[in-house]
């Protein structure tokens, strides 16, 4: 996950672990971590180290880097790569499923009509706008999210006669 995060952000990645081995340190630093440090028994020392790193990064960066990832309930989406992750695993989403979920995530809490979803996710070339297509996409997306998270229902809510939304 570190190499993928490093491709979308220059934000410092500070790894603190109680399992400090040279092999893991080399792997983390090679994978994109900025600092790999042993966990200190005094939590304040860990916080001070992280704040010092962030302060140093802010002083040396020319301009802030916009995050190129969004998340929803521990599901992380990387729109530039069309990839989604939950925990340590990747969610195997098709491009349309990814675009649909991404659109719902960036509009979480808002009920989106069928036509809003069609025009945003399918854009051009889909004049038919058969609601069965959307229903099937939602059904497949729900199954994949439920399989990955172990949580049945609750992610994508059907607002009957209107469309869909993600609860906040």
């Amino acid at each position: 996950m570190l190499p993928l995060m490093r491709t979308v952000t220059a934000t410092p990645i500070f790894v603190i672990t109680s399992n400090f081995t040279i092999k893991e340190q080399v792997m983390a630093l090679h994978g994109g971590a900025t600092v790999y440090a042993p966990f200190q028994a005094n939590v304040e020392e860990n916080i001070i180290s992280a704040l010092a790193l962030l302060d140093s990064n802010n002083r040396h960066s020319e301009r802030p880097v916009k995050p190129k990832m969004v998340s929803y309930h521990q599901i992380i989406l990387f729109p530039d790569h069309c990839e989604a992750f939950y925990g340590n695993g990747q969610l195997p989403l098709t491009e349309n499923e990814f675009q649909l979920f991404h659109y719902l995530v960036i509009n979480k809490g808002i009920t989106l009509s069928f036509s809003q979803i069609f025009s945003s996710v399918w854009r051009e070339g889909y004049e038919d706008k058969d609601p069965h297509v959307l229903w099937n996409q939602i059904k497949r997306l729900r199954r994949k999210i439920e399989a990955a998270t172990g949580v049945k229902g609750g992610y994508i809510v059907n607002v009957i006669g209107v469309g869909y939304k993600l609860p906040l």
Side-chain angles (χ1 to χ4, degrees):
M1 181 79 105
L2 282 175
L4 183 58
M5 288 176 67
R6 188 49 72 211
T7 65
V8 296
T9 183
T11 301
I13 299 172
F14 194 66
V15 178
I16 301 174
T17 179
S18 59
N19 189 17
F20 192 88
T21 67
I22 297 298
K23 182 180 178 183
E24 288 178 359
Q25 182 180 13
V26 169
M27 287 176 55
L29 293 172
H30 182 69
T34 310
V35 173
Y36 187 93
F39 179 78
Q40 303 296 324
N42 182 344
V43 176
E44 292 170 343
E45 288 181 40
N46 294 315
I47 294 170
I48 290 168
S49 296
L51 291 174
L53 175 65
L54 290 172
D55 184 55
S56 171
N57 184 67
N58 288 339
R59 277 187 270 128
H60 297 312
S61 66
E62 294 176 19
R63 60 184 168 89
V65 177
K66 283 179 141 179
K68 295 183 181 180
M69 65 181 185
V70 293
S71 65
Y72 180 75
H73 292 259
Q74 300 175 359
I75 298 173
I76 301 171
L77 304 172
F78 293 92
D80 290 349
H81 301 281
C82 214
E83 294 180 319
F85 294 87
Y86 179 80
N88 291 328
Q90 185 171 0
L91 285 174
L93 302 179
T94 66
E95 185 176 348
N96 271 354
E97 290 166 345
F98 179 88
Q99 296 301 334
L100 174 59
F101 191 53
H102 180 253
Y103 186 62
L104 291 168
V105 168
I106 62 175
N107 291 288
K108 62 185 164 224
I110 300 170
T111 300
L112 300 167
S113 69
F114 298 119
S115 62
Q116 285 176 304
I117 295 170
F118 271 115
S119 63
S120 180
V121 174
W122 279 270
R123 295 189 180 105
E124 307 169 6
Y126 198 83
E127 282 72 30
D128 188 15
K129 296 186 181 179
D130 181 358
H132 290 91
V133 171
L134 181 56
W135 296 337
N136 286 325
Q137 286 283 322
I138 293 286
K139 182 171 72 173
R140 284 193 300 273
L141 181 57
R142 281 178 173 151
R143 281 187 192 152
K144 290 180 180 182
I145 292 170
E146 289 171 0
T149 63
V151 176
K152 192 91 169 142
Y155 277 98
I156 302 172
V157 176
N158 179 12
V159 180
I160 297 173
V162 181
Y164 294 95
K165 76 174 184 176
L166 290 182
L168 292 175

